Amino acid sequence: MNRFASIFPNVEKPLIAMAHVPALPGTPLYDEKAGIQGLVDQVRSDVALLVDAGFDAVMFCNENDRPYELHAGPESAAVMARVVTECRPTSIPFGVDFLWDSRIALAAAVATGASFIREVVTGVWESDMGLWTTDAAHTLRERRRLDAQDLAIFMNITPEFASPIGRRDAAETARSTVVSSLADAILVSGPMAGAGPSTSTLSGVRDAVPSDVPVLLNTGARADTIGEMLKIADGCIVGSSLKVDGHTWNPVDADRARRFVEAARS
């Protein structure tokens, strides 16, 4: 089953835009005066701008839940599901990401009818959040248990704010992840949100995995460089450079979003 191709059947290099959800209830930066309705209002506005700009999909993410949790509570899944349900586009596919708990992403995706999730589900990492261990076996078994076999899992093999425990490089990790963890797509990131990987790292990963497994640029996509990056990658996920002043946690800038799509398509 090629889940990625099923989501994007007629798109050569999909452009996926981030719909960043403001801080959720219970997190340090949550705006209790705006409340949950405030989350919905901001995300709905951003999604409308991203759809109008011509992106192929959007992905909802709790980007401002800093510092991130490796084991979040059920309220996170509930609020993410509400926001996604009220803001999901009807004309293009959408996905869900949760930093950094794949259980929450999977639950919200199943509840809302998402086409894909993005998560780190392989490896052990030292990170800003502490020692981070993952469990691809559990994530894929939960997908089956929840009867969500059509849901694609995009696997980030170079997570932001973390470094691997071990000696394998990104290419070796990607090759192994495809075989052992059944990735629907491989994502290559830079060291943090808004910062991209080197072209040599991206190229090495693309060369390391079979041609039918898509490799996407996961962070650091910009209008002035996306043309060159898409000569290597099979698509991209972009967030920060679409925002007002290019700042990750600002609202979407309609002009920046439109210029990005134009640059990527040219």
Side-chain angles (χ1 to χ4, degrees), residues 1-210:
M1 179 189 299
N2 192 325
R3 297 180 180 88
F4 189 87
S6 297
I7 299 169
F8 304 107
N10 301 307
V11 183
E12 182 180 359
K13 302 246 179 178
L15 308 177
I16 302 171
M18 296 303 303
H20 290 149
V21 181
L24 301 182
T27 63
L29 299 176
Y30 176 60
D31 182 353
E32 68 277 3
K33 292 182 180 178
I36 294 175
Q37 188 59 50
L39 308 182
V40 171
D41 292 343
Q42 179 169 326
V43 176
R44 181 183 287 134
S45 174
D46 283 352
V47 169
L49 294 175
L50 296 170
V51 171
D52 287 345
F55 283 94
D56 299 303
V58 298
M59 179 160 57
F60 298 90
C61 178
N62 63 321
E63 195 76 26
N64 212 12
D65 280 0
R66 297 171 288 160
Y68 304 122
E69 290 185 286
L70 300 177
H71 303 286
E75 71 283 355
S76 297
V79 176
M80 282 293 290
R82 176 180 168 185
V83 173
V84 174
T85 297
E86 295 201 34
C87 301
R88 58 191 174 188
T90 58
S91 58
I92 58 175
F94 66 92
V96 176
D97 178 29
F98 192 90
L99 307 173
W100 291 100
D101 190 336
S102 61
R103 302 169 309 152
I104 303 299
L106 186 60
V110 171
T112 59
S115 297
F116 58 93
I117 65 172
R118 173 183 72 173
E119 288 297 331
V120 179
V121 296
T122 62
V124 179
W125 310 83
E126 67 79 24
S127 75
D128 291 359
M129 294 75 66
L131 186 62
W132 181 1
T133 61
T134 62
D135 193 344
H138 176 76
T139 300
L140 270 66
R141 281 163 175 76
E142 277 295 282
R143 178 175 66 181
R144 176 170 285 279
R145 185 182 72 83
L146 296 173
D147 192 27
Q149 282 296 91
D150 291 338
L151 180 71
I153 301 178
F154 299 174
M155 298 187 182
N156 184 357
I157 60 155
T158 54
E160 308 93 292
F161 310 108
S163 59
I165 294 180
R167 293 188 296 242
R168 292 183 298 170
D169 62 17
E172 291 175 299
T173 300
R175 185 184 299 114
S176 179
T177 298
V178 169
V179 173
S180 70
S181 300
L182 309 177
D184 294 304
I186 294 292
L187 309 183
V188 185
S189 306
M192 62 186 297
S198 67
T199 55
S200 61
T201 297
L202 186 63
S203 181
V205 171
R206 177 59 280 173
D207 291 343
V209 303

